[in-house]
Amino acid sequence: MQASDTIVAVSTPPGRGGIGIVRLSGRQALDLARKLLCKEDFAPEPNRVSLHVLRDPETGEELDRALVTYFQAPRSFTGEDVIEFSCHGSPVLLLQIVDALLRLGARAAEPGEFTLRALANGKLNLSQAEAIRDLIEARTAAAARQAARQLGGELSATLQPLKDALLELIVPLESSLEFVEDDLPDLEIERLSARLSDLVRRMDELAATFRAGRLLKDGLKATLVGRPNVGKSSIFNALLKQDRAIVTDLPGTTRDALSEMINLEGIPVLLTDTAGVRDSADAIERMGIERTRRAIADADLLLVVVDGSEPLTAEDRELILEVAQSRHLMVANKCDLAGFSLGRLRETVANGAEIIAVSARTGQGLEDLRRAVLRSCSAPESATDSLLLTNARHYDLLRRASDALATAQRLLQERASEELVLVGLYDALRYLGEITGETTPEEILTQIFSTFCIGK
Amino acid sequence: MRFSGFDENFDVIVIGAGHAGCEAASAAARMGAQTALVTLSLDTIGQMSCNPAVGGIAKGHLVREIDALGGIMGRVIDRTGIQFRLLNRSRGPAVRAPRAQADRSLYRAEMRRTLEATPNLHLRQGLVIDLIVEDGKVRGVELQDTRRFHAKAVVVATGTFLNGLIHTGKRTYTAGRAGEPASIELAESLKRLGFPVGRLKTGTPPRLDGRTIDWSVFEPQPADERPVPFSFATESIDQPQVTCYIGYTNERVHQTIRANIHESPLYSGQIKGVGPRYCPSIEDKVVKFPDKNRHQLFLEPEGYDTYEVYLNGFSTSMPAELQQELVHQVKGLEEARIIRPGYAIEYDFVDPRELTPFLETTRLRGLFFAGQINGTTGYEEAACQGLIAGINAALFVRGEPLFRLHREESYIGVLIDDLIHYGVDEPYRMFTSRSENRLALRYDTADARLAPHGRRLGLLGDEDWERFNRRRERLAKLRAVIEGTRFKRSDAVHAELSLRLNQNLGDAISLAQLAQRPNVHPELIYELLPAETRAQTSLSDLETVLADIIYSGYIDAQRATNERIHQHDYLRIPPDFNYRAISGLSREMVERLERARPETFGQARRVPGMTHGALATLLVHLKLRRAA
Ligand SMILES: Cc1cc2nc3c(=O)[nH]c(=O)nc-3n(C[C@H](O)[C@H](O)[C@H](O)COP(=O)(O)OP(=O)(O)OC[C@H]3O[C@@H](n4cnc5c(N)ncnc54)[C@H](O)[C@@H]3O)c2cc1C
Ligand SMILES: Nc1nc2c(ncn2[C@@H]2O[C@H](COP(=O)(O)OP(=O)(O)O)[C@@H](O)[C@H]2O)c(=O)[nH]1
Ligand SMILES: [Mg+2]
């Protein structure tokens, strides 16, 4: 009886590429490949590539010449027998090959099904499976690198010493409860407490990388605001270095909030251009303005643009007041013009606030603006140096673990009985375990017996 | 094949009058089943094979639970214990537990007396060599002396006897315990029936002649002044209490062991079975902890009327003459003579993953296993399984639904759940850390947790039940007083307390709140009780109520944590759920799930051998199904 069937899918992204891969996974993978190659004796060496002709199973007509690789269970991505056909990249051709395999008895894989099988066969742990999803969705190279590190098990490897340290704390406390009659060393409360603080600090440090990690993964929403004609769309385009928004001399012609993803040092920034923030009788423009207010509420960072070549208008001042409570940067545009001055702006803007002078036309100051954006979200200097926490679930669990430990430490200091201190330690261990796998009571006992000589 | 009829007919047959068998037979008989307890020798009923002691951390909890359900171990040890101590007195109430040294021969006699006084219980001496099986059901047993007994249910509680093999140095011989024959035919019969059998080992230390010990060298360890009994029925322990003694090994002993390690069957490769890590032999201790320059020993009297002394901590399977030499090297034992040498024993156990939560085998209806046969070690672990198996044998005979305990409510539940889900790879002993619910499973709440079950099953008589209810009412009343008694800032007591504790007590504080402050001991609360309440309150009742109060916050928080972590446990798995349709589940996982037929994801999580990956996949599918 077949526990699970054999699944097939094109596993390279849709679209025309140089090469397209069709992946087949399951017990019958090899059988189906034999039929597709019309070679009953096809017995490939695992992990070796060989060139073969793929044929339509019914007509025998040649479909493609492909490089065929066999990954033998359990040493494959899914843990099952896997065959990969590297074919020529035409979408039509790839579909034909998939179709041939379907007719031979394979089933079309559902989204994520290969990963699910890898999970089921213990080839991946939970955080690695999450990393695969992140990897697929990564929008910048840096985000992809982080996901790849996590997939490589780096998160589990980072957590393991924390878990080990926790176990080392649990062991003496647990032993002193369970083996009262044994000749165990006395508990050194101060030392245990110091180790607990150290552990809390390490967890908090890891948790703190989430801010940067989330930026990498989810990116930052930066929105350009300002009255019409100050040059928002021009800046938007300059940053994008491509013509997307229509630029006119007529006030109020940029009606839609246009969004585009840009890549600032590996951080995906969703840049949004808005219509001017101006009370307007024009219905169409009003709709744009409504959208703008929503965009303001939505943004992680506002780029408040004024025209530095003109005196500030009432409208400018109003906007400056309005954004005071949100995270924002002041941008004075048109620094290429003769009348440009930062002085007027300095008087209005709260003391010391940074003002960036730019010219959308010449590109002057845009680099400063980019850096200011990065600084404002306190992105790490080089986001790719260390492992970052990118997943909210992991962050939440780590915070809970750290809180549980802090409580345990307080109890330890109050000289509460060990079983109460242990509650927090076990909770923390369980939270950490939840991120990757689990720690069993058996592991704890094993530690106890290897640490202490116990038993009568 | 002989088809001679049966010599006798019973409802239930229990094989083996060890700790499991005695509880099983007693429970089944008191539940109305005509019960035969068949054992090798009536003179070794309730024999303690090793240490003459009952209880300890977690094990004491088990005895309390046995007692609360209506078992007999607690009462028997209360009458025959010669040194009672409550362990962990300085720690929280959840990890306190009673322990008692027993007079080995009085314990046996009292157990036998208890069984003989039980209606419907029939003692039979003999060696069972085979199970009689018909149509996938057990029908009875066959004895070595050719007798055949018929029964509808059989409980096997044969301890270390199945294919028992004793080792002393290089000498080996078959035995169930020193001086008692092994049970070979029955072991083969179980294998023939297809039960998967493994091998474990355990050991015991030498017994010394107390008259040859220099007692002055050892540190005395007296009994508690006010012994805490095991049984909720015992008012007080009145028999005289003896003193145990503590001593140590030394480098010389260790050197001799190292020099002769090849003589130990443990290290010569002669012993294949896995022994318990928490009961290491002295050889093990010396080899595994080379940096320790001494190991603790306890000298424990075996009884009132004997000079035999148990050398706790010195379990060994070295040759007898070497044991004598090693003993002589211990300070204070220079002249000590060995009465019985220590030894190691290997025996068969049956993989407990074959069992249901009722301790019934999945292979043969009506057949139950209890005790060491299931891979556990310890009298208490055996006894509690015996009780559950005995109860279920009686229910089985009546055709009623079987009885199980859950992990959340008892250590017994934890033990059985662990056994049937994870199996064992070394002898299984109870620890409080095996429960994720330790704070709620206190020794002093065993009655509140389990007595209602015991009553429903018919194991708690009217007297016990009334005592239980009286205690419950007393505790409730006391709790109301403790929660209701408040001291305001204007009261003189408030000021005095603030000063004494050096704590800010706020505008008003109740006794219940006060009890949760650091450094507030039950004695202080006792002093502060209203006079008329104090007069009617025992310190032990007060400790129970205070523990309920102190732990309640933790227990709630832990429950919330557990619920969050196991938030998917309540996802229902439809009865017609097709595991085969789940892509990626290996055939092995599918088969395990199909055999177990879990009703919820939580149950699936506990199906033996499930991998994390398989569970994650199952969860994804269950959630997809719900979303659809
Ligand atoms: C040498 C030794 C050392 C030990 N050391 C420790 C220790 O350090 N710590 C610890 O916790 N536990 C120890 N134990 C284990 C402890 O003794 C057992 O766990 C406990 O006694 C098991 O109880 P039981 O009821 O399952 O079986 P047992 O107490 O072994 O009783 C089995 C009974 O079944 C009878 N029987 C067996 N076969 C048959 C048959 N075919 N027909 C009729 N009757 C039969 C026997 O006569 C015996 O009465 C040790 C045991 C031994 C033998
Ligand atoms: N000289 C100069 N003109 C600019 C600059 N930026 C924008 N403009 C002009 O200002 C006008 C309004 O620009 P636009 O980007 O549509 O402004 P928006 O309404 O804020 O989006 C256009 O005519 C632009 O060419 C700049 O840096 N220097
Ligand atoms: Mg515009």
Side-chain angles (χ1 to χ4, degrees), chain B residues 548-578:
Chain B
D548 287 343
I549 292 171
I550 291 168
Y551 283 136
S552 65
Y554 290 92
I555 291 172
D556 290 347
Q558 257 187 314
R559 190 172 303 132
T561 303
N562 285 337
E563 274 169 13
R564 209 194 59 78
I565 286 178
H566 303 311
Q567 55 186 309
H568 305 302
D569 280 9
Y570 298 98
L571 273 180
R572 296 210 72 77
I573 303 177
D576 58 342
F577 191 79
N578 183 4

Side-chain angles (χ1 to χ4, degrees), chain B residues 341-414:
Chain B
Y343 60 89
I345 180 166
E346 280 186 289
Y347 54 91
D348 285 355
F349 77 102
V350 179
D351 186 345
R353 287 176 295 185
E354 291 274 317
L355 299 173
T356 67
F358 318 109
L359 296 181
E360 191 181 12
T361 67
T362 41
R363 248 163 240 276
L364 283 181
R365 295 270 8 231
L367 181 64
F368 298 81
F369 289 165
Q372 196 104 357
I373 187 174
N374 291 335
T376 61
T377 175
Y379 314 136
E380 306 80 354
E381 286 83 350
C384 72
Q385 294 173 63
L387 179 56
I388 300 297
I391 288 169
N392 282 320
L395 291 172
F396 179 87
V397 168
R398 286 195 217 148
E400 286 176 20
L402 302 190
F403 170 74
R404 68 172 295 185
L405 285 173
H406 295 270
R407 310 181 62 87
E408 293 74 23
E409 64 185 330
S410 61
Y411 282 105
I412 301 177
V414 171

Side-chain angles (χ1 to χ4, degrees), chain B residues 289-332:
Chain B
F289 296 90
D291 298 339
K292 271 200 99 167
N293 52 21
R294 61 174 206 182
H295 291 281
Q296 188 169 262
L297 301 173
F298 293 83
L299 300 175
E300 300 173 336
E302 292 249 337
Y304 292 123
D305 302 326
T306 172
Y307 47 74
E308 196 171 346
V309 171
Y310 181 90
L311 185 55
N312 196 338
F314 211 80
S315 169
T316 179
S317 50
M318 290 285 204
E321 69 276 14
L322 194 57
Q323 291 185 26
Q324 182 66 74
E325 188 185 334
L326 289 168
V327 165
H328 282 165
Q329 292 176 349
V330 174
K331 195 152 180 279

Side-chain angles (χ1 to χ4, degrees), chain B residues 52-53 76-85 99-107 221-224 227 237 239-244 300-306 308:
Chain B
V76 173
I77 182 64
D78 279 350
R79 291 186 199 126
T80 58
I82 57 177
Q83 193 212 35
F84 282 80
R85 288 190 305 128
R99 178 191 191 274
Q101 198 66 37
D103 180 309
R104 195 191 296 274
S105 87
L106 285 184
Y107 188 90
Q221 183 193 42
D224 283 353
I237 306 286
Q239 63 269 30
Q241 299 287 291
V242 305
T243 299
C244 294
E300 300 173 336
E302 292 249 337
Y304 292 123
D305 302 326
T306 172
E308 196 171 346

